[in-house]
């Protein structure tokens, strides 16, 4: 019965999955060259991109994996060899800056061939399509650059970072095409030729039984892996908490000390669980769910602790 329930849960996730789902996004962009090209043209109109090649997708849903590595949602190159990493990010994990730096570091390793002059290094672009406003300024596009702290001088590193905001308050600063795309990410309602094509291709993709099987298998595999990791972390954290409780009990010098010690130490134990799961690459929502299943903490309480640890 438990397996049937899990199957039904995975099937529901598959039926509800839209463009923002990491696997759906990767399949659509990697398997439709025209969509990938038009999307890059909308995001980076000044580059005059005319072709994309070597498009690759990440086979494992990166956001939900415990492994770190050169795992991109979408990797592509243009006719000049410029390199692009395109990421879909639904939830704010409060680590976007460091993630961008990490992805750029991998691209940089491959942007210059052996024996080439540094001036021959191709430019690299990390693009995050976010369903939240990371900077909170209401703008549809944020770009970053390296500036000299003591002046307005800009250092050309060849690295470019673009953060798109589907929750923008005003889209007047971008083209109608890009505005329509970002609104589609936000609402799942297509209003342009590109977004209508994406929506149609998703419908076709959902009829593919092989894709459905791959999606369902991933969901099952991930849930099993998360359960194993969480139980291990929980066991280690509780062992630490019990030791703290005994210490508190001896300090209090009465029978109730152990219980009170555990109560005082439980918050530290949960914080330790959250930190360890975060270090393993799990998302905020996955961590909150795991904590509520294995402790007495509510989702609201676990969220408060998570934000205290990682929201600066």
């Amino acid at each position: 019965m438990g397996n049937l329930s899990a199957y039904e849960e995975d099937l529901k996730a598959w039926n509800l999955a839209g463009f923002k789902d990491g696997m759906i996004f990767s399949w659509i962009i990697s398997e439709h060259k025209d969509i990938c090209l038009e999307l890059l043209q909308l995001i980076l109109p000044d580059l005059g991109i005319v072709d994309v090649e070597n498009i690759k997708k990440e086979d494992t849903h990166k956001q939900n994996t415990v492994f770190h590595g050169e795992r991109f949602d979408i990797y592509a190159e243009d006719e000049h060899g410029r390199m692009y990493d395109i990421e879909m990010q639904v939830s704010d994990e409060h680590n976007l800056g460091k993630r961008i730096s990490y992805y750029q570091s991998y691209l940089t390793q491959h942007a210059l061939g052996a024996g080439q002059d540094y001036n021959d290094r191709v430019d690299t672009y990390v693009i995050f399509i976010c369903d939240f406003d990371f900077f909170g300024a209401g703008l549809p596009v944020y770009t970053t650059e390296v500036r000299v702290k003591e002046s307005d001088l800009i250092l050309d590193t060849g690295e470019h970072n673009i953060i798109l905001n589907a929750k923008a308050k005003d889209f007047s600063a971008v083209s109608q095409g890009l505005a329509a795309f970002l609104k589609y990410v936000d609402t799942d309602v297509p209003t342009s030729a590109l977004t209508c094509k994406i929506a149609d291709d998703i419908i076709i993709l959902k009829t593919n039984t092989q894709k459905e099987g791959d999606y369902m298998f991933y969901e099952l595999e991930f849930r099993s892996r998360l359960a194993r990791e969480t139980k291990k972390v929980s066991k280690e954290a509780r062992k630490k908490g019990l030791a703290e409780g005994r210490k508190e009990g001896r300090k209090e010098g009465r029978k109730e000390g152990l219980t009170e010690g555990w109560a005082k130490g439980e918050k530290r134990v949960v914080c330790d669980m959250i930190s360890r799961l975060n270090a393993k690459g799990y998302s905020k929502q996955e961590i909150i769910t795991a904590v509520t299943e294995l402790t007495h903490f509510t989702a609201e309480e676990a969220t408060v602790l998570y934000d205290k640890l990682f929201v600066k």
Side-chain angles (χ1 to χ4, degrees):
M1 191 69 175
N3 290 334
L4 180 60
S5 177
Y7 172 82
E8 291 175 340
E9 183 179 335
D10 293 344
L11 183 60
K12 180 180 179 180
W14 165 254
N15 290 330
L16 293 176
F19 186 59
K20 285 184 284 194
D21 181 274
M23 295 184 76
I24 301 296
F25 172 78
S26 295
W27 276 326
I28 293 296
I29 302 299
S30 66
E31 296 178 5
H32 298 85
K33 180 178 178 178
D34 55 338
I35 292 178
C36 183
L37 175 59
E38 186 171 351
L39 182 56
L40 286 174
Q41 289 172 334
L42 287 176
I43 297 171
L44 299 162
D46 295 339
L47 293 187
I49 304 170
V50 299
D51 190 25
V52 287
E53 54 192 26
N54 199 23
I55 305 173
K56 299 177 182 178
K57 71 176 178 65
E58 171 51 40
D59 292 329
T60 302
H61 195 186
K62 179 189 68 281
Q63 180 177 315
N64 288 335
T65 183
V66 298
F67 303 108
H68 290 294
E70 56 275 9
R71 289 174 149 78
F72 303 135
D73 278 350
I74 295 294
Y75 170 85
E77 299 172 5
D78 67 14
E79 70 276 12
H80 298 294
R82 292 175 295 208
M83 304 162 68
Y84 304 89
D85 164 32
I86 312 174
E87 303 286 326
M88 175 64 74
Q89 187 71 20
V90 176
S91 59
D92 187 358
E93 305 300 331
H94 310 289
N95 59 4
L96 200 59
K98 292 182 179 179
R99 288 186 64 192
I100 286 175
S101 176
Y102 182 81
Y103 296 147
Q104 278 286 4
S105 69
Y106 177 76
L107 292 177
T108 298
Q109 293 176 35
H110 298 77
L112 190 66
Q116 283 187 302
D117 187 272
Y118 286 112
N119 289 323
D120 296 327
R121 179 199 187 279
V122 297
D123 282 10
T124 55
Y125 297 79
V126 172
I127 302 166
F128 268 81
I129 303 168
C130 298
D131 194 32
F132 55 89
D133 189 348
F134 182 72
F135 291 104
L139 303 177
V141 179
Y142 301 104
T143 58
T144 71
E145 57 191 11
V146 178
R147 287 184 175 271
V148 178
K149 186 176 181 180
E150 293 77 13
S151 71
D152 290 331
L153 296 174
I154 299 174
L155 179 64
D156 181 12
T157 63
E159 298 179 0
H160 309 271
N161 305 308
I162 301 95
I163 302 169
L164 303 178
N165 172 25
K167 301 296 187 184
K169 299 176 181 178
D170 182 3
F171 291 92
S172 62
V174 299
S175 67
Q176 291 183 348
L178 183 55
F181 173 78
L182 291 175
K183 291 176 182 177
Y184 174 65
V185 172
D186 180 34
T187 65
D188 207 33
V189 177
T191 58
S192 65
L194 174 63
T195 54
C196 284
K197 175 170 175 49
I198 291 173
D200 289 343
D201 286 335
I202 290 175
I203 293 174
I204 295 172
L205 184 150
K206 289 295 190 72
T207 65
N208 187 318
T209 55
Q210 179 62 51
K211 288 287 196 299
E212 179 181 343
D214 290 344
Y215 189 97
M216 301 275 281
F217 176 78
Y218 163 74
E219 290 293 325
L220 176 62
E221 180 187 38
F222 167 70
R223 190 164 49 250
S224 298
R225 186 172 62 239
L226 176 58
R228 291 193 302 269
E229 290 285 344
T230 302
K231 287 180 180 178
K232 179 181 178 181
V233 168
S234 176
K235 183 178 180 180
E236 293 172 351
R238 287 182 180 278
K239 183 178 180 181
K240 178 180 178 181
L242 181 59
E244 291 181 352
R246 287 172 176 162
K247 182 178 179 181
E248 289 286 344
R250 289 193 297 269
K251 185 185 298 183
E252 294 292 338
R254 58 179 184 269
K255 187 176 180 180
E256 295 81 6
L258 180 59
T259 302
E260 293 183 8
W262 169 249
K264 292 179 180 178
E266 188 173 18
K267 181 177 179 181
R268 293 193 293 273
V269 171
V270 173
C271 286
D272 187 45
M273 285 180 60
I274 291 172
S275 296
R276 294 190 189 197
L277 289 173
N278 180 74
K280 289 178 177 293
Y282 290 106
S283 72
K284 177 179 179 179
Q285 187 54 54
E286 291 156 1
I287 293 172
I288 300 305
T289 300
V291 168
T292 56
E293 289 179 352
L294 287 172
T295 73
H296 296 102
F297 275 59
T298 65
E300 291 75 17
E301 291 169 336
T303 299
V304 169
L305 290 182
Y306 182 97
D307 290 344
K308 285 184 178 179
L309 288 171
F310 300 111
V311 180
K312 307 300 181 183

